[in-house]
Amino acid sequence: MAKKPKPQSWGFVRAMVDEMAKDDDATIRLVEKPVRRSVIPTGSLDLDRALRTGGWPCGVISIVHSRESLGKSTLCLAAARECQKLGGIPVYVDMERKLELVYAESMGVDTGRMPLIRPKSIEAGFRKLHRMADLIHKEAKGVPILFIWDSLHSGVTESESNDDAYKIGAYGPEAKVYSNAVKRFLFQLDDKNVAFLGVSQSRVGVGRRRT
């Protein structure tokens, strides 16, 4: 069995990390004491336990998926309410343009303290979230932030919105935009204490019977 290195033998590692930390192409540090991720309660103790995290974790993308009309948006509003109870800031991206603010208020959400975004394209939505994460982190560093995207299957790309509405373009442009945006967005989620809650809805084909 290999011997455990003596503490003083790690001095060169610390010096190496300090030197490499001067570069701006990546972050590097030694973790002295691991810190548990911040979480935003779901509003349901049973679901908090089922997730094994105590809620929606910050720094992570969480997806709520089901068929339509099964309570996905209600679950998101419950999370927004719990985020506000923690002194945090929920932001609702209403891609479907269906959010009922009166219903949100009945759920206990202070809609006056929940920015509502209805972007014209998927790219515009992510640009707004990037900007808001920077501003909130600057003015209220450390507060939990919840970004709700409702839903992932709604909205169009900028190329689609600028094109002929009835023209058939390349296959799957939304998937490509989401893929690129999410890869960039992951850095902000972890760095700025942001939880991202996306709604995904399964669709039933026209003329097909539900199974």
Side-chain angles (χ1 to χ4, degrees), residues 132-146:
M132 292 195 78
D134 287 337
L135 291 174
I136 294 173
H137 184 70
K138 180 180 179 181
E139 298 296 330
K141 186 176 181 179
V143 303
I145 304 170
L146 173 64

Side-chain angles (χ1 to χ4, degrees), residues 1 19 36 41-42 44 46 55 57 69-70 72 80 124 147 151 176-177 199 202:
M1 181 180 294
E19 180 63 28
R36 186 181 297 274
T42 65
S44 166
D46 289 336
S69 302
L70 289 182
K72 296 182 296 297
F147 287 158
S151 69
K176 295 177 182 178
V177 171
V199 173
S202 57

Side-chain angles (χ1 to χ4, degrees), residues 168-182:
I168 299 177
Y171 179 76
E174 297 91 351
K176 295 177 182 178
V177 171
Y178 275 124
S179 178
N180 290 331
V182 166

